[in-house]
């Protein structure tokens, strides 16, 4: 049997295969709440036999809202709405993780009505917004915001919680020396840059208990000339593992080229270096994301011990049933070419593959 169809675990969560649907912003929400379109989307992913479905980034705080189509988890009133989403996945045989994603300097002031925030006051070259530097006590407040968002995710019935610590989103900017230039308790060394995320993980662990799966999408290597290498960032990963992180979906950190993490025309894995660096030091499961399209190549990642699971985004936009088709032998590769036209569709709040 292809090893991609073997079961594996994130803490106590038993998953039926090694396919993960990476968090994918669909922009289908209305006023932060789940819509019928989203229910249909996640129902198909569950019916398509995805081992673990990660929600699109749920906004944990009003100042971190990225778009009107982003789901929110910033208040208890969102719990029943999110529970409907989880229920649809569970009723159709799936498992689902809630990704917590604060926009940071990618937040939209036109949506939030507030200034964008970050660890250091600087201009985001991708949108021209200047991040307001958070005071130390405000950072503590946003730590608690994430912990309470995780509580809501647990109450809504999610099987796991994932923090988004990659791609220059809020937590990622604390972890990177490019965007975190503080010299207080929140910056100045790898351990201090990791402190906010470490406290979030420890806080979630206190309310969730030892067995509940808590993991992170972590940007190891910064694709920026002033950023850190994968080897340097593994120090942070080890700190987070010691704090209670149960698994790591490895991607990139702060990017000098926006959306470098969804590389155009990529049909082969492009984070192998990050995975190899992490494998040398981490005991927790590692999930490889980025550019994988062929089933044989995915299996090799597992058999070679580079990762415990494979995470995909764009192939599931093209075909939410691709895992089922892999298992049945109907196809041996995704037809996704990484043309990235689907990203333009997302921005128009009409997420779809233009090739089908």
């Amino acid at each position: 049997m292809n090893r991609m169809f073997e079961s594996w675990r994130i803490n106590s969560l038993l998953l039926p295969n090694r396919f993960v649907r990476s968090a994918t912003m669909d922009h289908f929400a209305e006023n932060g709440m789940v819509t019928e379109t989203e229910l249909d989307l996640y129902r198909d992913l569950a019916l398509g036999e995805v081992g673990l479905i990660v929600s699109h980034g749920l906004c944990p705080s009003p100042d971190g809202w990225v778009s009107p189509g982003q789901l929110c988890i910033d208040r208890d009133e969102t719990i029943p709405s999110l529970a409907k989403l989880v229920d649809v996945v569970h009723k159709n045989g799936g498992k689902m993780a809630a990704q917590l994603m604060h926009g940071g300097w990618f937040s939209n002031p036109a949506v939030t009505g507030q200034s964008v925030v970050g660890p250091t006051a600087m201009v985001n070259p991708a949108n021209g917004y200047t991040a307001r530097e958070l005071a130390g006590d405000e950072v503590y407040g946003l730590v608690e915001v994430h912990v309470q968002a995780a509580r809501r995710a647990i109450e809504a019935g999610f099987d796991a919680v994932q923090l988004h610590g990659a791609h220059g989103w809020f937590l990622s900017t604390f972890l990177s020396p490019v965007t975190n230039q503080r010299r207080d308790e929140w910056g100045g060394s790898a351990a201090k840059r990791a402190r906010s995320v470490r406290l979030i993980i420890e806080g979630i662990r206190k309310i969730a208990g030892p067995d509940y799966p808590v993991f992170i999408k972590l940007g190891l290597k910064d694709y920026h000339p002033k950023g850190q290498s994968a080897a340097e960032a593994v120090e942070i990963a080890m700190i987070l593992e010691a704090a209670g992180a149960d698994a790591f979906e490895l991607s990139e950190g702060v990017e000098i080229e926006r959306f470098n993490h969804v590389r155009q025309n990529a049909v082969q894995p492009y984070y192998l270096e990050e995975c190899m660096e992490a494998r040398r030091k981490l005991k927790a499961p590692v999930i490889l994301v980025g550019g994988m399209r062929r089933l044989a190549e995915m299996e090799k990642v597992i058999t070679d011990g580079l990762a415990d699971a494979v995470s995909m985004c764009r192939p599931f936009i093209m075909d939410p049933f691709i895992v089922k088709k892999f298992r049945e032998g109907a196809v041996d590769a995704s037809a996704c070419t990484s043309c990235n036209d689907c990203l333009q569709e997302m921005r128009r709040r009409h997420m779809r593959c233009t090739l089908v």
Side-chain angles (χ1 to χ4, degrees):
M1 182 179 71
N2 189 304
R3 290 204 61 194
M4 288 300 298
F5 296 96
E6 293 178 348
S7 62
W8 67 296
R9 289 182 180 273
I10 300 179
N11 198 330
S12 64
L13 179 62
L14 179 65
L15 298 166
N17 60 52
R18 296 171 186 264
F19 292 94
V20 177
R21 186 266 197 166
S22 194
T24 305
M25 184 65 72
D26 56 60
H27 297 284
F28 288 150
E30 292 291 346
N31 299 314
M33 300 294 186
V34 173
T35 62
E36 289 297 322
T37 305
E38 277 168 325
L39 293 179
D40 291 341
L41 169 66
Y42 285 92
R43 180 185 294 108
D44 283 349
L45 288 165
L47 289 171
E49 302 181 6
V50 181
L52 178 64
I53 302 165
V54 183
S55 75
H56 87 214
L58 310 178
C59 181
S61 176
D63 62 356
W65 210 5
V66 175
S67 96
Q70 183 183 11
L71 287 168
C72 291
I73 195 167
D74 60 335
R75 56 199 185 280
D76 286 358
E77 288 77 8
T78 64
I79 295 174
S81 174
L82 294 168
K84 291 180 183 178
L85 194 61
V86 178
D87 189 51
V88 161
V89 169
H90 285 171
K91 283 182 176 178
N92 290 284
K95 302 290 185 182
M96 189 171 189
Q99 185 189 77
L100 308 184
M101 189 192 81
H102 186 293
W105 66 349
F106 286 118
S107 302
N108 188 341
V111 176
T112 66
Q114 303 180 48
S115 60
V116 300
V117 296
T120 301
M122 61 175 59
V123 176
N124 183 344
N127 57 25
Y129 297 143
T130 299
R132 177 180 66 80
E133 182 171 314
L134 290 163
D137 60 343
E138 289 182 295
V139 181
Y140 280 113
L142 280 162
V143 166
E144 182 61 20
V145 156
H146 282 80
V147 173
Q148 291 305 312
R151 172 186 61 78
R152 296 182 189 105
I154 295 168
E155 291 183 17
F158 284 95
D159 300 290
V161 166
Q162 183 191 63
L163 302 177
H164 197 332
H167 312 160
W169 299 105
F170 181 66
L171 298 183
S172 177
T173 58
F174 268 89
L175 297 174
S176 173
V178 176
T179 45
N180 184 349
Q181 299 174 12
R182 302 173 75 108
R183 290 296 181 268
D184 60 2
E185 59 189 317
W186 306 109
S189 67
K192 289 183 176 181
R193 293 198 307 275
R195 187 166 186 258
S196 60
V197 183
R198 174 177 63 80
L199 291 178
I200 291 169
I201 292 172
E202 291 174 348
I204 296 173
R205 186 59 68 205
K206 286 179 181 177
I207 65 169
D211 300 327
Y212 187 81
V214 180
F215 67 120
I216 184 168
K217 186 167 193 171
L218 185 64
L220 281 185
K221 180 179 178 179
D222 285 335
Y223 281 77
H224 190 287
K226 296 182 180 180
Q228 61 192 353
S229 67
E232 292 169 331
V234 168
E235 180 183 347
I236 286 176
M238 293 172 67
I239 290 170
L240 302 182
E241 182 179 44
D246 292 312
F248 294 84
E249 182 184 7
L250 297 177
S251 189
E252 63 188 71
V254 171
E255 310 159 312
I256 197 163
E257 181 182 341
R258 185 74 175 122
F259 296 113
N260 187 61
H261 60 282
V262 279
R263 298 177 193 176
Q264 194 166 22
N265 305 319
V267 293
Q268 292 183 320
Y270 46 79
Y271 289 129
L272 293 177
E273 175 193 345
E274 283 84 344
C275 258
M276 287 187 285
E277 292 286 355
R279 271 299 199 200
R280 293 187 183 106
K281 297 292 181 70
L282 299 177
K283 297 177 182 178
V286 170
I287 304 164
L288 177 63
V289 69
M292 282 163 292
R293 302 293 180 261
R294 291 177 285 276
L295 181 59
E297 194 167 59
M298 299 173 202
E299 183 182 26
K300 191 173 188 302
V301 165
I302 304 302
T303 57
D304 288 353
L306 291 177
D308 299 278
V310 163
S311 184
M312 298 185 292
C313 162
R314 290 165 287 181
F316 287 124
I317 297 174
M318 186 176 213
D319 185 358
F321 298 94
I322 187 69
V323 174
K324 185 174 186 288
K325 291 177 181 178
F326 280 152
R327 183 184 59 77
E328 293 174 343
V331 298
D332 60 8
S334 168
C336 176
T337 62
S338 302
C339 69
N340 284 356
D341 286 350
C342 57
L343 303 185
Q344 301 302 322
E345 294 296 304
M346 286 183 200
R347 296 187 187 102
R348 290 191 282 267
R349 301 186 69 180
H350 187 201
M351 188 183 75
R352 67 182 185 94
C353 176
T354 61
L355 301 180
V356 296

